[in-house]
Structure formats: C-alpha cells, structure tokens
Amino acid sequence: MLAFTIRRLLLAVPTLVVIGLVVFLLLDMAPGDPLADQPLTIPPEVREEMRRALGLDQPSWVRFGLWLYQFFVVEPQVAVDHLFGTSFSEGKARVISWQFKQPVMDIIAQRLPQTLWVVGSAYVVGVLIAIPIGIVSAVRQYSVLDQIGTFVSMVGFSVPTFFTGVLLIVVFSVNLGWFPSIYDTQLQVTDWGSFLQQLRQMALPVFVLALFNAAQISRYMRASMLDNLSQDYVRTARAKGMDERTVVLRHVLRNSMIPVVTVIALGVPSVFGGAIITEQVFKVNGLGQLLITAINANDLPMVQTLTFIFAVLIVLFNLIADVLYGVLDPRIRYD
C-alpha cells in the first residue's frame, strides 16, 4: 500500500503541472482585459505601465513559470514563516490578486472559514443523513420508509439548489421570520448567544446543500446495499444463525461502502470550492463567491490559483478513495 501511495503521488506531480498549464492557457486566451474597468481618461503610456506592473508584457511561458515558482516555492515558505517565525520568503514576490491588490493565498485564507462553516457542515450533515436512509431503504425495500426516502431523494436531487434556497427564504425568512435571509460574514462567535445566532443563519443554506448531497449519496448507498444483500455470503451468514442486525451492519455495510466512498471522497473538494450558486443566494462570502467575483473582474491570478487548488484536492481525494478501498476490502491489494 505504501509503494502504491508513493507511485500515485509521483504520478500526481506531472498530472497537476499539465492541469495547471491547461488552465493557464485557457485563461490566457480567454477574451477580456484586466484593465477594462479602469477609466478611459488614463493616458496610454500610464495604461501600458500598469500592464507591465501586472506582468502582462511578459511571454506566456514566463508568466506560467513564475506562477509555478510562486505557488510551489514562495507560498509554502510564507506558510512556514507564519508558523515558525522564520524569514525564508522575505523579499520574494507572491501571487498577487489583480482585483484586490493583495496576496491571493491571504484572501483565500480569509474566505475559507465561511465556506467550511456552511458548505462543510452541510456536507457532513448530508453524509450522516444519507447513509442511514440508504441502509433502511435497502433493508426494507418497497416499504413506506423506502418510498418516502426515494421521494425525498428524487426531490432533493432534481430540484435546483437556487430554487430551494429562494423558496426557503420566502417561507422561513420573509413570511415566518424564523431565520435570516442573508448570511452575516462579520459575525464573531464569542459566547453562547452569538453561537446560536451563527446556527440560525447557517440553518437555511446548510439545509439546502445537505438535502442535495444526501439525495445523491443515499441513492448510491441504497443501490450498493441491495446489490450486496443478494450475495451468497449474506445467505451463508444468515444460515449460520447470525441475527439480521449483525449481517447488515457487520458484513453488508462494509462491502457496500466501497463504491459509496468514491462518491463521498470526490465530493469533498466541492466543500472547499464552495457551493457557488447557494453562496450567491444567501450572500455567503466564501470561496465560491470569490471565484465568481474574480471571473467577472478578469482576475486571472485568483482564478488560476483557485482552479488549481480544486484540481489538487480532486487528485488528492482520488488517492484517498483508492487507499480506503484496501481498508474496507481486504481482497484489494495494490502492491
């Protein structure tokens, strides 16, 4: 398993470099000018100087190489300096946002807690709801509980999140006034009262995203459980006199989790990416909204960095899912 993990990590390096190059070329060839929002009264020579300050006068391969160096060398050094008080990154240029005129990673670090509070909590809640629903629906196939779980899953998966979000705002915020419609990103949790206020403003966006996530994962869980319940080893376990609870939770559930682990692991990067539409509906100032803002402002360093971070997370959690296969199923060996 260790050798397999090392091989996959080494293979991930050229994969990520190619992904970064493709993203860079797509953004570089895309229409739009980062100086388009500047006043037209700016003299041409000043505008040209501004382009040089942004590095736009350099060839594409130079700008891409500089971004790779700043992302993989300078930014880790900044993190080390912040943690241990060293000065490895002193005097070195970082990846700067054209829109905010600040280091990109500093802005991401500011927005990440909001995304983790809302989208991360919603994903955890969705997984915790989906797995029991999938188990019960499979064990009691075609029962009333199965029909209810199927109906809720279909509704959660087919209805778009922006519609669900607006509907909940109209019902629970506008008409009933139970929950706020706009997420307050300035709220600081310092006592029990502020913590309850944080839970109230998280309730609606977390419910919208948890419903969507649970709908998808529960269907995978149900299908995988049904496939394993009909296997010979289940009949053998029952013939040996094991009670149904032991058969389901000890034998069937473990084997059924193998395909579900892939769905859960590949969904984790979306937590860091943020639910872009839901963040827009509830005005959550997270990474999803940051990406939309950067695209609208032609902030190429911000878009490039965020997109590459999402790619890194996808590759990483693909590897984690493969490793978990071997943990869940002893028959799977990579060495």
Side-chain angles (χ1 to χ4, degrees):
M1 187 67 72
L2 180 60
F4 167 78
T5 304
I6 294 175
R7 287 197 306 268
R8 286 290 300 271
L9 289 175
L10 293 177
L11 181 62
V13 175
T15 302
L16 291 174
V17 171
V18 172
I19 292 174
L21 178 60
V22 171
V23 172
F24 176 82
L25 293 177
L26 288 175
L27 294 175
D28 190 53
M29 293 185 294
D33 186 357
L35 300 180
D37 59 341
Q38 300 298 322
L40 298 177
T41 55
I42 296 179
E45 59 275 10
V46 176
R47 185 177 294 271
E48 190 62 29
E49 184 62 30
M50 294 172 65
R51 295 183 65 86
R52 281 196 294 269
L54 295 177
L56 296 176
D57 60 326
Q58 300 291 333
S60 297
W61 64 271
V62 173
R63 288 186 281 122
F64 178 67
L66 179 61
W67 178 84
L68 284 178
Y69 173 77
Q70 292 173 337
F71 186 87
F72 286 103
V73 178
V74 178
E75 294 299 340
Q77 290 177 346
V78 172
V80 171
D81 293 346
H82 179 75
L83 292 174
F84 302 103
T86 56
S87 57
F88 295 116
S89 63
E90 185 176 357
K92 296 181 180 179
R94 302 176 61 185
V95 183
I96 302 297
S97 168
W98 294 347
Q99 179 185 9
F100 299 100
K101 306 301 186 293
Q102 297 178 15
V104 167
M105 297 304 295
D106 290 353
I107 301 173
I108 293 176
Q110 295 171 5
R111 301 291 187 93
L112 184 60
Q114 304 297 338
T115 294
L116 293 180
W117 263 109
V118 178
V119 188
S121 300
Y123 196 74
V124 173
V125 171
V127 171
L128 294 178
I129 293 175
I131 292 179
I133 290 178
I135 295 173
V136 173
S137 296
V139 173
R140 301 186 179 182
Q141 188 180 14
Y142 304 130
S143 65
V144 176
L145 292 176
D146 184 25
Q147 299 296 335
I148 294 175
T150 300
F151 174 76
V152 174
S153 298
M154 292 303 174
V155 171
F157 192 73
S158 59
V159 178
T161 54
F162 68 84
F163 178 80
T164 309
V166 173
L167 180 63
L168 292 180
I169 289 175
V170 172
V171 174
F172 294 101
S173 296
V174 178
N175 294 333
L176 299 177
W178 291 355
F179 303 102
S181 60
I182 297 179
Y183 189 90
D184 183 11
T185 57
Q186 304 298 323
L187 177 64
Q188 299 290 332
V189 179
T190 56
D191 52 18
W192 183 249
S194 59
F195 177 72
L196 293 178
Q197 186 177 353
Q198 176 71 17
L199 292 181
R200 287 184 67 250
Q201 71 174 3
M202 286 174 55
L204 295 185
V206 166
F207 178 82
V208 170
L209 294 174
L211 177 63
F212 179 79
N213 293 326
Q216 180 184 19
I217 297 173
S218 65
R219 302 315 295 169
Y220 279 101
M221 190 74 233
R222 179 182 183 273
S224 183
M225 287 285 295
L226 288 175
D227 182 59
N228 281 277
L229 282 171
S230 61
Q231 297 297 319
D232 292 337
Y233 75 89
V234 178
R235 287 192 289 270
T236 303
R238 287 169 175 164
K240 289 182 177 180
M242 292 185 181
D243 61 275
E244 191 67 14
R245 181 185 182 91
T246 303
V247 172
V248 172
L249 297 182
R250 183 175 178 181
H251 297 280
V252 179
L253 178 60
R254 181 171 181 177
N255 290 326
S256 301
M257 285 299 296
I258 295 175
V260 179
V261 162
T262 303
V263 179
I264 296 176
L266 294 183
V268 174
S270 66
V271 173
F272 296 90
I276 297 175
I277 297 177
T278 306
E279 286 190 355
Q280 293 285 358
V281 171
F282 293 97
K283 306 302 180 184
V284 180
N285 202 18
L287 294 182
Q289 191 179 63
L290 178 63
L291 179 60
I292 292 296
T293 304
I295 293 174
N296 292 333
N298 291 315
D299 189 353
L300 300 189
M302 179 66 75
V303 178
Q304 167 87 10
T305 304
L306 282 173
T307 307
F308 189 76
I309 289 175
F310 300 157
V312 171
L313 292 173
I314 291 174
V315 172
L316 175 62
F317 281 96
N318 259 304
L319 174 60
I320 293 175
D322 289 341
V323 172
L324 288 178
Y325 287 163
V327 176
L328 293 172
D329 190 347
R331 297 171 299 176
I332 299 177
R333 287 293 177 266
Y334 298 107
D335 298 333

